[in-house]
Amino acid sequence: MISQLRSDQPSPLSQADPLCRQADQPHGDWQTLYGGVLRRCGRCGLVATDKVPEFDYDGGYFVGGETGGYDFDSPFSRAYDEARFNSELDRLEKEGLTGSILDIGCATGIFLHYAQQRGREIAGVEVAQYARERVSAELGVPIAGSLAELPEGESYELVTLHHVLEHIHGPLAFLRDEVVPRVGRRLLIEVPNFASLAARTHGPRWKDLRPEQHVYHYTPDSLARMVEAAGLKVRRVTSFSEPLWSVRTAVDTLRLLPTLVLSNRQESTPFEPGSAMGVQDVSDFQPARGLKKVAADLAGIAMWPILRTLENRCHAQRLVVEAEPG
């Protein structure tokens, strides 16, 4: 796998962008973040990696989490994805969204797997050949390599992008021209939350920064404005916390709370590869049982008001924007 920052291409922020308050001009009034790794437009607040990332998503990215990837098959990942995806599907079904689903950037197909178990009609798009072939074989449905490969004019009741948009070099055009025409009733986008408590506390050492992969870094405001600029009506902007709760995560959350009062993001501190904070060793993960489960459940009950407040104020780790056709 190859992971590098390309020095021969301009920042995405050097192009004219309708999201900016001066829509016919490139972004400007630059603010440098993390020693120049990121730049923020002083007029509209959009944040981008300074040099365009180029990253190869081969098999090693999906199995074993090599060189910055994600091990989708680890016990921790399986338990994490089962908890978050089933919770998401439960909520959407309560809102009457029980029809067809298109998952863009479906990776190894975990979300589609749980949707298929519920009897949903599913479709997926994945650019990585390894993941695409694996999902097709495991779920028995063809997975497209791009949105252009889907049947012309076909839309889906629910379209999802789970941790995809931050990797896209031209997100507004991608949403407007390729994604929105596929949305029947609801679009759901999930990205790392650049305005989260963890991001504000850890700054350049935030575990979800990943400038070698992520082109843009979204806040609730910037993502909502982008979705609306693409032609959809924003229905909900929220965030959610990690779905696997424990006494340790409760303690970690309490330690971060002072950041809400005392902003501690060190925007001038250089980014140091390999120094990410908030990354825990999950290689020996086991589901909580017995007294550990009792302690985890009690911690979750005690922390519930704090967690809900953080989520509703968009301070939790994952940012979610849902929208519908206008």
Side-chain angles (χ1 to χ4, degrees):
M1 181 186 299
I2 299 173
S3 173
Q4 61 181 352
L5 289 177
R6 298 175 60 181
S7 59
D8 61 335
Q9 292 202 18
S11 163
L13 293 180
S14 65
Q15 309 300 315
D17 194 329
L19 290 178
C20 198
R21 282 181 289 192
Q22 296 185 19
D24 59 343
Q25 299 292 327
H27 295 273
D29 300 335
W30 296 116
Q31 297 172 0
T32 299
L33 308 183
Y34 310 155
V37 172
L38 307 184
R39 297 173 74 192
R40 178 168 56 202
C41 175
R43 294 195 294 259
C44 73
L46 188 64
V47 177
T49 299
D50 183 60
K51 293 182 174 63
V52 180
E54 183 180 76
F55 197 90
D56 287 348
Y57 300 90
D58 62 5
Y61 177 87
F62 298 94
V63 180
E66 299 173 4
T67 59
Y70 183 77
D71 188 354
F72 288 85
D73 292 332
S74 71
F76 174 82
S77 298
R78 289 286 185 177
Y80 183 100
D81 289 339
E82 180 180 9
R84 73 181 182 125
F85 287 146
N86 277 313
S87 176
E88 182 174 282
L89 286 164
D90 285 344
R91 178 179 60 80
L92 292 169
E93 288 174 0
K94 288 179 181 178
E95 296 178 15
L97 292 159
T98 58
S100 60
I101 292 177
L102 169 63
D103 191 25
I104 300 171
C106 63
T108 57
I110 305 301
F111 178 74
L112 291 178
H113 164 76
Y114 291 115
Q116 189 181 59
Q117 282 190 332
R118 295 165 179 251
R120 309 289 289 273
E121 178 186 347
I122 61 171
V125 174
E126 174 55 55
V127 297
Q129 181 178 354
Y130 166 84
R132 186 169 63 247
E133 293 176 350
R134 172 174 165 175
V135 178
S136 294
E138 292 181 356
L139 300 185
V141 296
I143 301 298
S146 69
L147 283 159
E149 296 178 14
L150 296 173
E152 184 176 356
E154 184 167 350
S155 64
Y156 304 82
E157 183 179 74
L158 173 66
V159 177
T160 57
L161 293 93
H162 296 102
H163 291 267
V164 173
L165 198 66
E166 65 269 27
H167 299 264
I168 301 297
H169 289 223
L172 179 56
F174 173 68
L175 289 174
R176 181 187 61 225
D177 302 334
E178 300 185 54
V179 176
V180 170
R182 302 292 182 176
V183 179
R185 288 185 58 193
R186 183 79 58 86
L187 171 67
L188 183 150
I189 300 174
E190 177 188 321
V191 296
N193 186 6
F194 193 69
S196 69
L197 195 56
R200 293 170 60 181
T201 302
H202 299 317
R205 296 197 291 168
W206 176 42
K207 68 175 182 177
D208 286 324
L209 189 63
R210 301 194 178 197
E212 79 284 357
Q213 299 177 37
H214 297 168
V215 183
Y216 288 94
H217 311 270
Y218 294 101
T219 64
D221 177 68
S222 64
L223 183 55
R225 286 190 295 111
M226 182 170 290
V227 170
E228 290 188 340
L232 294 179
K233 178 182 178 181
V234 171
R235 176 187 177 95
R236 178 186 291 118
V237 180
T238 188
S239 64
F240 71 87
S241 306
E242 303 291 347
L244 299 182
W245 196 250
S246 67
V247 173
R248 175 178 175 175
T249 52
V251 172
D252 289 344
T253 300
L254 290 173
R255 286 175 176 172
L256 296 178
L257 288 178
T259 306
L260 291 177
V261 179
L262 302 172
S263 181
N264 193 36
R265 181 154 56 186
Q266 299 173 317
E267 297 184 342
S268 61
T269 303
F271 170 78
E272 297 179 7
S275 64
M277 293 194 68
V279 179
Q280 64 184 93
D281 182 7
V282 294
S283 58
D284 59 349
F285 169 80
Q286 295 292 334
R289 295 185 177 88
L291 291 177
K292 284 187 176 181
K293 187 175 187 311
V294 172
D297 290 344
L298 290 175
I301 293 171
M303 290 290 293
W304 187 88
I306 296 175
L307 291 178
R308 286 296 172 269
T309 300
L310 291 175
E311 291 176 347
N312 292 335
R313 295 185 179 181
C314 290
H315 293 315
Q317 295 95 321
R318 301 291 181 257
L319 173 63
V320 176
V321 169
E322 295 179 48
E324 55 195 13

